[in-house]
Amino acid sequence: MSKITFIGAGSTVFAKNVLGDCMGTEALQGFELALFDIDLERLEDSRSMLNNIKASTGSTCMVKTYTDRKEALRGAKYVINAIQVGGYDPCTITDFEIPKKYGLRQTIADTVGIGGIFRNLRTIPVMLDFAADIREVCPDALFLNYTNPMAVLTNVMNAYGGVQTVGLCHSVQHCIPGLFEALGMDQTGVQAKIAGINHMAWLLEVTKDGEDLYPEIKRRAAEKQQQERHHDMVRYEMMLKFGYYITESSEHNAEYHPYFIKKGYPELIERFQIPLDEYPRRCVEQIGGWKQMRAELVNNTSLHHERSQEYASYILEAIETNVPFKIGGNVLNTGLITNLPREACVEVPCLVDASGVAPTYVGDLPPQCAALNRTNINTQLLTIEAAITGKKEHIYHAAMLDPHTSAELSLDDIVSMCDEMIAAHGNWLPEFK
């Protein structure tokens, strides 16, 4: 029996989407769905939920829970990762509250910036432990990473973990539908080319019947920027100033650049509708709403599931059937984007079939897009350097090179803030010298 292992299976809603998709896919019938999580109560919730879907759909997949991670991985053909190390309390709170003392405000803090750096530093050791287990008990498995910070973790698993890994993010497949719906444009028959880095990939081409749609997109976006306040003002502004639309949301991109969250310009927060402290707010809402959601998912014996847009089941289906499928995947930059560093992780179109995930060549990005990507790649690569070498100085370097952090704080304050973050994380971090 072939096996799909889901690490972080206590993420019950996400497990429903990804594994529910697998349970309804003909090519994946008969697979074992191996669930692992360190939260045994949530693990059992996910098992019950998936068995509800199995009963209502007639799927022949077998759902099995494990408390031993290595046994959950043993013999797996595919591994899906959706962990979060440190959770909301204490680590997410730390990621927001200590920077706030220094006047450094954030929105999501899960990709770059101080929050992203420290989320990486506490997650990389755990991911490398996964990699050691995979090399031992399922060395040929394909690792599908959904965990943020996407670029760094996917990079580490490939370059240092020795595990064939593709990073998957929702923003690529949601880019065109979200943009066109907001601008009142018909997306039927639209062709798009997207490439860059995770959370800052670029809509490089957008056409319909050979016609370039960018002039009309920019015209409508400029009108909307002047006429109303809306949720996507940062991305529209970046597109109008730099020429290309970015895949990830405005609340994310507000903190990836030095232009929007600034102590000396508080009016920018209102002008661009920037939701400061958005991620902690979402965490509190999700924690508060889980009791009702649990009843709807875990105790609903007639639970049904419609296939989602998540890439995982489509990737597995393409490999199993040899029917090609195109995704936007995060992979090492083996010369795929020629004006970004080769050691970086990039997000590019990939073709999936029985031979696996094959990234496609992109060439040069527009120079201004590549330059903006490199500002984030600098921090990503120094964060990896810190994690792999154990040198504290590289944590400082990563923070000093972050566009938002360096625009707001002095070098001395950055060092002090990092030291305070390291102390507050305690055993969530390895020891740095």
Side-chain angles (χ1 to χ4, degrees), residues 194-222:
I194 294 173
I197 62 172
N198 180 243
H199 286 189
M200 201 192 293
W202 305 94
L203 180 58
L204 298 173
E205 299 174 6
V206 53
T207 62
K208 184 172 183 177
D209 300 326
E211 178 188 358
D212 182 6
L213 299 181
Y214 249 131
E216 180 63 13
I217 289 171
K218 291 176 181 177
R219 185 189 69 79
R220 295 190 185 206

Side-chain angles (χ1 to χ4, degrees), residues 152-165:
V152 166
L153 299 180
T154 301
N155 190 326
V156 165
M157 288 297 282
N158 278 299
Y160 297 94
V163 173
Q164 55 174 332
T165 301

Side-chain angles (χ1 to χ4, degrees), residues 299-411:
N299 301 325
N300 183 0
T301 56
S302 59
L303 183 66
H304 287 271
H305 177 75
E306 297 292 330
R307 197 173 191 180
S308 74
Q309 289 186 306
E310 297 294 349
Y311 277 143
S313 69
Y314 297 95
I315 292 171
L316 274 53
E317 181 180 40
I319 293 173
E320 294 296 319
T321 64
N322 201 30
V323 176
F325 185 77
K326 189 179 85 168
I327 67 166
N330 290 271
V331 294
L332 285 180
N333 185 28
T334 54
L336 303 169
I337 299 180
T338 44
N339 53 354
L340 293 183
R342 289 184 64 90
E343 63 269 31
C345 178
V346 293
E347 193 165 65
V348 297
C350 301
L351 187 67
V352 187
D353 58 18
S355 63
V357 178
T360 63
Y361 175 82
V362 174
D364 274 1
L365 296 178
Q368 71 276 23
C369 297
L372 284 166
N373 283 164
R374 286 193 295 266
T375 67
N376 280 225
I377 290 170
N378 290 335
T379 293
Q380 293 167 359
L381 295 181
L382 265 298
T383 301
I384 294 173
E385 197 71 17
I388 299 303
T389 65
K391 293 183 178 179
K392 190 186 297 186
E393 66 191 80
H394 292 316
I395 301 177
Y396 304 149
H397 297 155
M400 291 168 181
L401 289 167
D402 175 66
H404 175 42
T405 304
S406 60
E408 293 289 275
L409 302 184
S410 69
L411 292 173

Side-chain angles (χ1 to χ4, degrees), residues 218-361:
K218 291 176 181 177
R219 185 189 69 79
R220 295 190 185 206
E223 286 184 357
K224 190 167 183 176
Q225 287 290 83
Q226 293 179 354
Q227 293 171 359
E228 60 180 280
R229 294 284 186 263
H230 57 89
H231 75 282
D232 210 14
M233 299 196 74
V234 168
R235 281 201 288 180
Y236 284 18
E237 189 73 5
M238 291 295 293
M239 175 176 63
L240 294 172
K241 294 293 194 297
F242 285 91
Y244 295 87
Y245 190 65
I246 303 172
T247 50
E248 187 50 72
S249 64
S250 282
E251 60 263 28
H252 275 275
N253 267 276
E255 63 184 6
Y256 300 164
H257 307 282
Y259 313 121
F260 300 103
I261 306 173
K262 301 181 75 65
K263 291 194 290 271
Y265 300 88
E267 68 275 9
L268 293 175
I269 303 301
E270 171 62 25
R271 176 183 168 191
F272 290 105
Q273 299 293 286
I274 297 171
L276 297 175
D277 298 330
E278 174 66 13
Y279 185 67
R281 187 159 46 247
R282 291 180 189 177
C283 290
V284 170
E285 290 176 358
Q286 289 170 358
I287 293 168
W290 170 241
K291 187 173 293 186
Q292 178 179 344
M293 191 178 296
R294 184 179 187 275
E296 295 170 355
L297 293 176
V298 178
N299 301 325
N300 183 0
T301 56
S302 59
L303 183 66
H304 287 271
H305 177 75
E306 297 292 330
R307 197 173 191 180
S308 74
Q309 289 186 306
E310 297 294 349
Y311 277 143
S313 69
Y314 297 95
I315 292 171
L316 274 53
E317 181 180 40
I319 293 173
E320 294 296 319
T321 64
N322 201 30
V323 176
F325 185 77
K326 189 179 85 168
I327 67 166
N330 290 271
V331 294
L332 285 180
N333 185 28
T334 54
L336 303 169
I337 299 180
T338 44
N339 53 354
L340 293 183
R342 289 184 64 90
E343 63 269 31
C345 178
V346 293
E347 193 165 65
V348 297
C350 301
L351 187 67
V352 187
D353 58 18
S355 63
V357 178
T360 63
Y361 175 82

